[in-house]
Amino acid sequence: MTAAQNRGGKVLCHVCTKAFAQSAVRPWSAVRPGVSELIDAAHPGWEAGKFICLTDMAKFRGAYVEALLESERGELSALDQQVIESMQSGQPISQILAENSDETATFGARMADRVAKFGGSWTFILTFMAILIIWMVVNAV
């Protein structure tokens, strides 16, 4: 049992010092060198055999990306900031377009969706196959 592990198979996070299951942490060796430098600067002693929880890892990854973007561009745009916040929270930025599509879709678009939904169904495929087999038998006789 390593120093970072305690009884019950839990592993201690180097940053927040809380115990987590092995699946909820990342080992030192799995962390990018640039991110490792940030962790070591904020919490000295970050080295082989240490672990970091996914929540703290997300915070340091966000800080790393922010530092990279600032060094490349000079300052962050609103979109850059939104992407970094999304990374840290683990929530996607995208919108669910299907919720509003029925309200704004034209009649033709709604009909095309219905035809595509039926045309790709197993009911259609099996029915079409049965009709094709019957057609082949009738033509063979």
Side-chain angles (χ1 to χ4, degrees):
M1 185 163 23
T2 65
Q5 292 180 341
N6 67 22
R7 289 184 172 36
K10 299 271 184 171
V11 178
L12 294 178
C13 172
H14 177 73
V15 175
C16 66
T17 66
K18 294 179 184 174
F20 293 93
Q22 190 81 28
S23 62
V25 295
R26 294 291 173 261
W28 173 84
S29 60
V31 179
R32 216 175 243 285
V35 177
S36 278
E37 290 172 9
L38 288 175
I39 296 169
D40 191 44
H43 300 276
W46 174 245
E47 58 193 18
K50 302 290 176 104
F51 298 87
I52 185 168
C53 68
L54 298 179
T55 303
D56 291 332
M57 182 69 175
K59 290 176 187 172
F60 281 102
R61 278 184 178 157
Y64 176 68
V65 170
E66 187 173 355
L68 283 177
L69 288 172
E70 282 180 350
S71 69
E72 182 179 311
R73 296 186 182 167
E75 66 179 58
L76 298 178
S77 68
L79 179 60
D80 294 334
Q81 200 61 36
Q82 189 178 11
V83 169
I84 291 168
E85 289 170 8
S86 171
M87 282 180 53
Q88 290 175 338
S89 69
Q91 297 296 319
I93 299 173
S94 65
Q95 299 173 351
I96 301 173
L97 298 177
E99 290 177 353
N100 298 329
S101 65
D102 289 338
E103 298 168 2
T104 59
T106 64
F107 174 75
R110 288 194 304 271
M111 287 302 294
D113 287 342
R114 287 186 188 134
V115 169
K117 187 175 183 179
F118 175 69
S121 70
W122 280 108
T123 304
F124 173 77
I125 293 169
L126 295 175
T127 303
F128 183 75
M129 191 181 332
I131 291 171
L132 190 62
I133 291 170
I134 291 169
W135 181 262
M136 290 185 325
V137 170
V138 168
N139 281 325
V141 172

